[in-house]
Amino acid sequence: MNWIYGRYSKTVGMVWAGCLVLFILIYLLVVGPQRKLRQQVEKELAEKKQMYHTVIKAAQAETRTQLNEQIVRLRNRLKDFVSDSEYAANLTFDISEIATAKQVDSFRIKSKDRHAVTVLPDCEYLCENRLVVSFAAAFNQFATFLNALERYQPVVFVDKFKIMRSEQDSSAHKVNMDLAVYIKKRQES
């Protein structure tokens, strides 16, 4: 009788093991991929809901007014950093006037490249005007000139400068500066 129970136990154990293997295979082949697909669909649904809420909010008049005000503020802020292409020609004259007002000696200004304007890579609406400025001045004159350039509108970026100490007297040190100004590209109509 014991051998019948043993044989019966082995049969039940084999059936259970077979069912377990079958369930694992079904899970790996059917349920697992569906679970991943479900997570992906839920993620896409969340993105679409977010887009839907954004569109609903953008359709409201109050939101459009806020966005238009923000655009105006950003354009005005852009004017602080970017010069119009028509104004770029006056830039050297304006910097020369600043130098004259700060009473620096032997002032010279020229474009760094042969071309007055350099195209920036991956930049559709801006280009760069690089200038080289050289003059002689005492340290205080240099500091006031640099401060005036920093306060200039639109912003003049001082990339680097080099001061060489004067051999004769301590009031006329030679200064070389590399400047950069961003300019809006002309838009074709």
Side-chain angles (χ1 to χ4, degrees):
M1 189 91 168
N2 245 350
W3 62 274
I4 295 176
Y5 287 122
R7 204 166 129 189
Y8 176 73
S9 296
K10 283 184 184 179
T11 307
V12 169
M14 295 286 262
V15 169
W16 274 101
C19 288
L20 181 64
V21 169
L22 182 66
F23 286 135
I24 290 173
L25 284 174
I26 289 173
Y27 180 79
L28 291 176
L29 297 175
V30 177
V31 177
Q34 283 182 350
R35 191 169 150 200
K36 289 179 185 177
L37 185 63
R38 180 177 166 229
Q39 289 174 346
Q40 183 181 1
V41 168
E42 285 176 351
K43 182 180 174 185
E44 288 177 12
L45 178 65
E47 289 173 0
K48 296 295 181 184
K49 281 184 180 179
Q50 178 66 29
M51 247 172 51
Y52 171 75
H53 291 298
T54 303
V55 168
I56 293 297
K57 190 173 181 179
Q60 297 172 351
E62 181 181 317
T63 305
R64 278 186 295 198
T65 304
Q66 288 175 352
L67 290 174
N68 287 335
E69 289 172 0
Q70 184 179 9
I71 288 171
V72 168
R73 281 194 314 270
L74 290 174
R75 283 188 177 152
N76 288 335
R77 181 128 167 92
L78 182 66
K79 289 178 186 176
D80 292 342
F81 294 96
V82 178
S83 176
D84 289 328
S85 57
E86 295 83 25
Y87 183 72
N90 296 333
L91 183 65
T92 56
F93 179 71
D94 290 347
I95 293 174
S96 297
E97 281 186 341
I98 293 172
T100 302
K102 301 305 174 189
Q103 299 174 347
V104 297
D105 298 326
S106 306
F107 183 79
R108 289 182 296 165
I109 186 169
K110 64 179 181 175
S111 291
K112 189 169 186 170
D113 301 324
R114 279 186 280 139
H115 307 290
V117 177
T118 306
V119 176
L120 297 172
D122 300 327
C123 195
E124 192 173 328
Y125 301 105
L126 295 178
C127 52
E128 183 179 47
N129 190 357
R130 293 204 159 262
L131 303 168
V132 176
V133 173
S134 59
F135 57 91
F139 181 76
N140 288 338
Q141 287 175 315
F142 164 73
T144 57
F145 179 72
L146 182 62
N147 189 12
L149 282 179
E150 288 176 342
R151 294 173 185 261
Y152 186 77
Q153 293 292 329
V155 174
V156 174
F157 295 97
V158 179
D159 279 345
K160 61 183 175 181
F161 62 86
K162 181 172 140 183
I163 301 175
M164 293 169 278
R165 187 170 55 108
S166 173
E167 297 294 327
Q168 290 88 5
D169 85 46
S170 62
S171 65
H173 306 293
K174 293 181 182 178
V175 179
N176 292 323
M177 300 174 82
D178 289 347
L179 308 176
V181 178
Y182 293 110
I183 300 170
K184 281 186 216 174
K185 287 182 182 177
R186 286 194 177 125
Q187 300 299 318
E188 297 173 8
S189 299

